[in-house]
Amino acid sequence: MPTSAARRWPRWLPILGWSILGALGVTLLVFLATVTFGAVHGTEFCPQTFERRSYSYYELPLVHLQMTGERHEDLTGDTEKHVTSNKYITQAGSGKKDWHVLIGSRGTRLRRPGDAGILLQYLDAEESNNVYRWVRWSEQNNNLAKVLWPAVQRVALHDMYIFVPDLFELAKSMDDPMQLQQQLDQFVAGKLLILGRRMIERKDPAAVKVLDEAITLDPANSELKEARDSATAHKPEAQATGTAARRGSPAPVNP
């Protein structure tokens, strides 16, 4: 009797049971791996709006497939708010925003701190009485602030944060807004020239736009005009290369 009763169970039932247990085990394993090694979070800065925020989400480890929506928390500091409320910079409306990572981590690995952190050191700098240094400076030197902050935003937009300290040093060394404007314009134009030349080497058609921007800052600079002529000469070639790549044709690879 026990033998005949046991045969009444379908043969596929144990297989189904083990399959369900296996699926639950895999699901639990993936969940634990995602929670343990798939957490991505950090802070980032937007040069168009001078906003700062945190970001966080979970992704599937190894394949980096995002599993949850991205969450944000506004962390904009008092200096950024002072700069925007006084209209020292031109804020982007509903257009594209770039977010430059300040610091972050992926799983158990820390991400290399971003260059935007250089600017944040100035934005977060405080005096001894808990007053933000560059808020006070801007309040005491309003005409100079109107010149400094647009230059700071300009280099930030091009992700050239390494030159931010030079801008603040120039601002501290001058008390004439017109003289500061001239010095800042020439300085930034020189850095845009370097950027434009590198873009020409990469056959990037956007080099023309960068060099045009530089020329508006320093129209008497003959090197800028020469570089722009060179960029214009390379532009058709770069556009053709981009078209070929979009169509699937082989294109030269620039190191």
Side-chain angles (χ1 to χ4, degrees), residues 166-211:
D166 299 285
L167 303 181
F168 283 98
E169 287 301 316
L170 282 171
K172 290 192 296 185
S173 65
M174 298 182 184
D175 54 12
D176 183 345
M178 294 185 63
Q179 184 181 5
L180 177 61
Q181 181 78 72
Q182 182 181 13
Q183 291 294 318
L184 290 174
D185 285 350
Q186 291 178 349
F187 178 85
V188 175
K191 303 311 175 187
L192 291 176
L193 172 60
I194 296 173
L195 176 61
R197 283 171 172 169
R198 290 176 179 173
M199 296 173 73
I200 292 173
E201 292 175 359
R202 299 195 303 266
K203 296 182 172 59
D204 187 339
V208 173
K209 183 178 180 181
V210 170
L211 292 167

Side-chain angles (χ1 to χ4, degrees), residues 101-222:
V101 174
L102 301 170
I103 190 170
S105 64
R106 168 169 274 158
T108 57
R109 294 180 302 168
L110 288 176
R111 186 170 179 171
R112 185 184 72 84
D115 289 343
I118 298 173
L119 172 57
L120 270 295
Q121 291 179 9
Y122 287 86
L123 297 177
D124 291 339
E126 295 184 8
E127 302 286 359
S128 57
N129 52 356
N130 296 323
V131 175
Y132 286 96
R133 180 178 304 165
W134 289 97
V135 169
R136 170 174 286 181
W137 180 89
S138 298
E139 291 174 341
Q140 296 174 344
N141 303 274
N142 183 55
N143 290 330
L144 295 175
K146 291 178 181 178
V147 176
L148 169 65
W149 291 111
V152 172
Q153 183 185 34
R154 194 183 294 275
V155 298
L157 287 169
H158 291 284
D159 202 4
M160 298 192 299
Y161 293 97
I162 58 173
F163 303 118
V164 163
D166 299 285
L167 303 181
F168 283 98
E169 287 301 316
L170 282 171
K172 290 192 296 185
S173 65
M174 298 182 184
D175 54 12
D176 183 345
M178 294 185 63
Q179 184 181 5
L180 177 61
Q181 181 78 72
Q182 182 181 13
Q183 291 294 318
L184 290 174
D185 285 350
Q186 291 178 349
F187 178 85
V188 175
K191 303 311 175 187
L192 291 176
L193 172 60
I194 296 173
L195 176 61
R197 283 171 172 169
R198 290 176 179 173
M199 296 173 73
I200 292 173
E201 292 175 359
R202 299 195 303 266
K203 296 182 172 59
D204 187 339
V208 173
K209 183 178 180 181
V210 170
L211 292 167
D212 280 341
E213 181 181 351
I215 290 173
T216 62
L217 298 174
D218 190 8
N221 191 325
S222 59

Side-chain angles (χ1 to χ4, degrees), residues 34 37-42 55-59 64 70-71 104-107 111:
T34 300
F37 302 105
V40 180
H41 55 84
Y55 65 89
S56 63
Y57 60 90
Y58 284 94
E59 65 179 14
H64 302 306
E70 190 166 330
R71 298 180 60 184
S105 64
R106 168 169 274 158
R111 186 170 179 171

